[in-house]
């Protein structure tokens, strides 16, 4: 009896979640389909938040194919364990794909690089994701090299104690990050 009650409750919760996913997609079923294709990593709630959050923060999420949406949502579940919200992932993905011209897979690699740099530098992963998305208008001139330049900028900021935003502001006046770092350091010493 208790197992039957549990099974019925689980079935109702799953149905409610599917309805919520369909509503979040404006009636379309692609979010529900993505959710149903996801592996077993994370809780149902984490998976739901990943799918809905990515759809809300990426203008092209619905344009991705089913496999791409599922891969991205599964990666987001892992990133949520590092404190990265789905909207942060969406912004990074959007910037990497539009501004840097990478594929969806390339944008996922950008996010992995940023997470690795966050770990190496002892910076919260969510903070580095936000910083990258905000800095992209200035980093666009580096094209596909923007991620490496941003990570260099993070390392300079950590060593010098100068905020990334101050370095980015100074960078707007220089052609290289090194020139911007030097100018920002000179400003700090004044």
């Amino acid at each position: 009896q208790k197992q039957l009650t549990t099974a019925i409750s689980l079935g109702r919760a799953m149905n409610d979640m599917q309805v919520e996913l369909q509503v979040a997609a404006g009636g379309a079923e692609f979010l529900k389909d993505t959710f149903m294709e996801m592996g077993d990593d994370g809780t149902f709630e984490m998976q739901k938040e990943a799918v809905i959050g990515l759809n809300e923060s990426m203008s092209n999420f619905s344009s991705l194919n089913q496999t791409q949406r599922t891969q991205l949502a599964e990666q987001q579940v892992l990133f949520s364990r590092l404190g990265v919200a789905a909207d942060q992932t969406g912004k990074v993905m959007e910037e990497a794909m539009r501004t840097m011209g990478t594929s969806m897979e390339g944008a996922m690699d950008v996010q992995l690089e940023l997470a690795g740099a966050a770990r190496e530098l002892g910076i919260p992963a969510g903070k580095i994701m936000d910083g990258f998305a905000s800095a992209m208008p200035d980093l666009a001139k580096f094209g596909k090299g923007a991620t490496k330049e941003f990570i260099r900028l993070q390392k300079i900021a950590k060593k010098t104690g100068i905020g990334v935003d101050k370095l980015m502001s100074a960078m707007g006046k220089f052609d290289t990050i090194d020139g911007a770092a030097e100018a920002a350091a000179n400003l700090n010493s004044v």
Side-chain angles (χ1 to χ4, degrees):
Q1 181 69 13
K2 186 175 184 177
Q3 290 176 334
L4 179 61
T5 304
T6 302
I8 290 171
S9 293
L10 183 59
R12 285 183 180 151
M14 182 66 101
N15 186 54
D16 290 347
M17 195 171 299
Q18 288 179 3
V19 168
E20 190 176 344
L21 289 164
Q22 197 166 353
V23 167
E29 299 207 1
F30 71 92
L31 291 183
K32 181 180 79 164
D33 295 342
T34 301
F35 174 79
M36 296 304 290
E37 290 291 319
M38 292 176 73
D40 58 1
D41 195 32
T43 65
F44 285 156
E45 190 64 29
M46 290 168 77
Q47 292 177 344
K48 179 187 80 165
E49 287 173 10
V51 172
I52 291 173
L54 291 168
N55 186 55
E56 289 176 350
S57 62
M58 289 180 67
S59 62
N60 63 339
F61 189 70
S62 63
S63 302
L64 299 174
N65 68 45
Q66 183 61 48
T67 301
Q68 290 174 320
R69 284 192 303 267
T70 302
Q71 289 172 341
L72 183 55
E74 287 173 341
Q75 181 169 301
Q76 174 50 38
V77 168
L78 298 176
F79 274 106
S80 70
R81 293 174 189 253
L82 298 176
V84 179
D87 68 317
Q88 292 170 311
T89 291
K91 289 174 191 167
V92 169
M93 294 296 294
E94 187 103 358
E95 289 295 338
M97 288 171 24
R98 287 183 190 245
T99 308
M100 294 170 56
T102 66
S103 65
M104 197 267 326
E105 291 79 7
M108 288 175 71
D109 289 342
V110 164
Q111 192 175 23
L112 289 170
E113 270 187 80
L114 292 171
R119 182 177 179 174
E120 177 187 332
L121 295 169
I123 299 170
K127 182 176 180 181
I128 206 166
M129 300 293 171
D130 281 342
F132 179 77
S134 315
M136 272 313 293
D138 294 322
L139 293 171
K141 64 184 171 189
F142 296 106
K144 292 190 179 189
T147 309
K148 289 188 184 352
E149 293 300 324
F150 179 74
I151 292 170
R152 275 182 17 126
L153 186 65
Q154 285 288 340
K155 289 177 181 178
I156 291 168
K158 181 110 178 163
K159 284 181 186 173
T160 63
I162 299 168
V164 172
D165 55 340
K166 200 170 195 180
L167 286 171
M168 290 302 300
S169 174
M171 193 175 93
K173 300 173 180 96
F174 298 89
D175 292 334
T176 67
I177 286 180
D178 294 326
E182 188 176 315
N186 289 338
L187 282 175
N188 256 13
S189 66
V190 172

